[in-house]
Amino acid sequence: QVQLVESGGGLVQAGGSLRLSCTASRRIVGNVDMAWYRQAPGKQRELVVIISGGSTNYADSVKGRFTISRDYAKNTMYLQMNSLKAEDTAVYYCNYQIGSSVYWGQGTQVTVSS
């Protein structure tokens, strides 16, 4: 079992930046896919970025603005979000897939005011 705890959400003006964090309850060894998703009100949850098999893939809507990174020593994954837009407003979730097991964080609200 792995617990994921997110932090870093908040209210920011358009054009601003936020950094989200996702800390795992234990060190993950082996193959793991790591991702950030988001869900806006009235919309389906969508993939923002995923690291899988050594490759990183971003949704077109965030390319060039968002960056995923990891600190293995802290068991933490980050999402740096720059040049935020009103349409980035959503609850952001981190996600780990380890084999057939999928783990989600509790979600953190990001609100971008225009």
Side-chain angles (χ1 to χ4, degrees):
Q1 282 287 337
V2 179
Q3 284 75 48
L4 303 177
V5 178
E6 299 160 11
S7 62
L11 174 64
V12 63
Q13 288 187 333
S17 298
L18 282 174
R19 188 178 76 159
L20 306 182
S21 300
C22 173
T23 300
S25 58
R26 64 173 176 85
R27 184 172 182 176
I28 308 300
V29 179
N31 293 326
V32 55
D33 294 344
M34 295 183 283
W36 287 94
Y37 287 76
R38 67 185 181 186
Q39 187 165 18
K43 295 187 176 181
Q44 290 187 332
R45 192 171 296 189
E46 64 173 358
L47 179 66
V48 175
V49 57
I50 185 168
I51 300 176
S52 177
S55 297
T56 302
N57 291 287
Y58 292 89
D60 288 342
S61 58
V62 307
K63 279 181 183 177
R65 300 187 298 121
F66 289 12
T67 303
I68 191 171
S69 63
R70 293 167 289 178
D71 186 332
Y72 290 103
K74 295 182 179 180
N75 299 332
T76 298
M77 173 173 70
Y78 302 98
L79 183 66
Q80 177 67 43
M81 305 185 295
N82 298 328
S83 302
L84 283 161
K85 305 175 181 179
E87 51 263 44
D88 295 318
T89 295
V91 178
Y92 284 71
Y93 299 90
C94 60
N95 168 280
Y96 278 26
Q97 182 162 345
I98 306 169
S100 60
S101 299
V102 180
Y103 303 95
W104 292 93
Q106 81 283 4
T108 185
Q109 176 71 46
V110 171
T111 302
V112 184
S113 62
S114 57

